[in-house]
Amino acid sequence: MRVLMSGFGTVGQGFAEVLMLRRDFLKERYGKDVNIVCAMDSSSYVADPSGLCPGELLERKKKTGKVGTKGYQDPLKVMESVEYDLLVEVSPTDIKTGGAGLKNIRYALESGKDVITVNKGPLALKFCELVALAKKNGCKFRFEGSVGGAMPIINLCRENLVGEKISSVRGILNGTCNFILSKMDNGQSFEQALKEAQQMGYAEADPTNDIEGYDSACKVVILANSLFKRSVTFSDVNITGISSITSEAISLAASNNMVIRLIGEVSHDKLEVSPRLVPRGHPLSISGTLNAAQVVTDLAGPITVSGRGAGRIETASAILSDLVSIMDDRKERKCQNP
């Protein structure tokens, strides 16, 4: 399996680490190596048809700030020059235009390549177009890590719960907001909690996407389209963030044995992100940076999953699950058509 990596930031580096950690597992399962044949960051790239050493990529990025030895202007020209089977698209998210990630995914699918992404921007803006493009060209398109990081939710619903009628999915989809609200439960002001989140690296210098609910809204769109077969985009979500929540509101909730959490909810007729009162002890009253989602089904009832919604290795573990799925499918097809 020849992999082209677009993006070599936190998640991209995590995936390179995971490939090193699971090299023997993949070789034993499939009888061949998974090789990175090209890696791009925002300004540089490196390619080798025989495969690149993940450790060397990580070391170069650490020492020089660049993954490659060559510069480039157009990522599509780099992709055109490389023979690969799978694009792993982990470039920075752009929820306004889809950014380079959208162009890269389109190009790969149009070229008949399988794609794994954790990039929320393209999925929140052009989900149906990309899925249709993958189907037209016979490609696999997987994106488990785009919602909840290591928390298995998309594949859980589409595969393990395939026989269920799912009426809704609601959950905590942004660990930064949950960290801030958890700190406010313990008496901190919103401003203090946000500053601590920034100091610990949970929140960006510009935290708008998190605290105004935009990040959660992207994930709600992905869930709506992938699980409920809806055709919606980011602009269809009713969004209310947490920046207006006061210490008084937190105290009032506590006096009624409640907490306030930012909840994203999706169903066949609902698409919303908003702060909600949650009873203490409820599965969605969790604290800290964890994500959690409750899937309401007709046969099994409510099923709740939780996990780390961010982190280099955690999110890379979701990419690995998609990679295994794609390689299993290829292996099965090969057995059916020797």
Side-chain angles (χ1 to χ4, degrees):
M1 174 71 81
R2 299 168 297 180
V3 175
L4 189 157
M5 291 188 63
S6 173
F8 208 75
T10 299
V11 176
Q13 291 172 55
F15 180 61
E17 290 182 47
V18 165
L19 280 185
M20 290 193 295
L21 292 170
R22 293 294 182 266
R23 179 178 293 276
D24 292 343
F25 160 77
L26 293 168
K27 184 67 177 287
E28 181 179 347
R29 189 178 181 94
Y30 303 109
K32 58 183 179 181
D33 291 318
V34 175
N35 289 320
I36 300 172
V37 294
C38 179
M40 295 188 287
D41 57 22
S42 61
S43 62
S44 70
Y45 80 98
V46 59
D48 186 335
S50 64
L52 299 160
C53 174
E56 291 179 5
L57 295 176
L58 291 164
E59 187 64 24
R60 184 185 300 119
K61 184 71 174 181
K62 181 180 179 180
K63 286 184 176 180
T64 70
K66 297 180 183 294
V67 70
T69 55
K70 301 176 182 178
Y72 71 92
Q73 297 295 323
D74 184 354
L76 301 189
K77 289 185 178 179
V78 175
M79 294 172 69
E80 185 180 12
S81 70
V82 177
E83 290 291 331
Y84 65 100
D85 306 301
L86 169 71
L87 171 68
V88 174
E89 218 303 316
V90 288
S91 63
T93 293
D94 181 338
I95 63 173
K96 293 182 179 179
T97 69
L102 177 56
K103 295 178 182 178
N104 296 342
I105 292 170
R106 271 186 181 141
Y107 184 82
L109 294 175
E110 287 169 349
S111 303
K113 310 300 184 183
D114 294 334
V115 174
I116 298 172
T117 189
V118 300
N119 194 331
K120 297 180 289 293
L123 295 168
L125 298 174
K126 299 292 182 180
F127 182 93
C128 293
E129 175 196 326
L130 296 175
V131 168
L133 193 57
K135 184 176 181 180
K136 176 183 176 182
N137 292 288
C139 306
K140 292 294 181 181
F141 183 38
R142 311 274 302 196
F143 40 85
E144 175 62 49
S146 64
V147 178
M151 179 184 73
I153 181 65
I154 296 172
N155 294 341
L156 170 70
C157 292
R158 295 205 303 186
E159 296 168 9
N160 300 89
L161 300 178
V162 67
E164 300 280 347
K165 291 182 180 178
I166 298 174
S167 58
S168 70
V169 178
R170 56 178 179 262
I172 295 167
L173 304 176
N174 184 278
T176 300
C177 287
N178 212 54
F179 176 85
I180 292 170
L181 293 171
S182 300
K183 288 294 180 178
M184 292 179 73
D185 289 341
N186 295 324
Q188 288 191 12
S189 67
F190 173 83
E191 292 75 15
Q192 290 173 323
L194 172 58
K195 185 176 182 180
E196 184 173 342
Q198 290 171 321
Q199 290 172 339
M200 297 186 70
Y202 298 143
E204 303 287 344
D206 179 359
T208 302
N209 283 346
D210 290 324
I211 65 174
E212 296 303 336
Y214 303 153
D215 176 75
S216 295
C218 288
K219 296 168 182 176
V220 162
V221 168
I222 296 167
L223 292 174
N225 290 333
S226 62
L227 303 183
F228 293 89
K229 308 303 180 185
R230 297 182 65 174
S231 180
V232 295
T233 66
F234 177 80
S235 61
D236 296 310
V237 187
N238 294 317
I239 309 170
T240 305
I242 66 168
S243 59
S244 62
I245 295 177
T246 62
S247 298
E248 289 75 17
I250 296 289
S251 296
L252 182 60
S255 68
N256 289 284
N257 203 31
M258 299 270 197
V259 294
I260 297 176
R261 295 292 182 261
L262 185 69
I263 304 295
E265 182 172 359
V266 57
S267 65
H268 290 288
D269 57 7
K270 196 163 194 174
L271 210 61
E272 182 178 299
V273 172
S274 61
R276 297 188 189 179
L277 289 168
V278 180
R280 288 189 180 277
H282 187 277
L284 298 184
S285 68
I286 59 172
S287 299
T289 58
L290 289 176
N291 281 197
Q294 189 170 69
V295 183
V296 180
T297 71
D298 64 332
L299 300 178
I303 296 173
T304 304
V305 292
S306 65
R308 294 180 180 178
R312 59 195 287 162
I313 296 297
E314 293 84 356
T315 305
S317 73
I319 299 175
L320 176 65
S321 73
D322 282 342
L323 174 65
V324 168
S325 177
I326 288 173
M327 294 189 73
D328 280 349
D329 181 73
R330 287 180 173 230
K331 185 177 180 180
E332 183 178 346
R333 281 185 288 169
K334 187 175 181 180
C335 290
Q336 292 173 349
N337 301 286

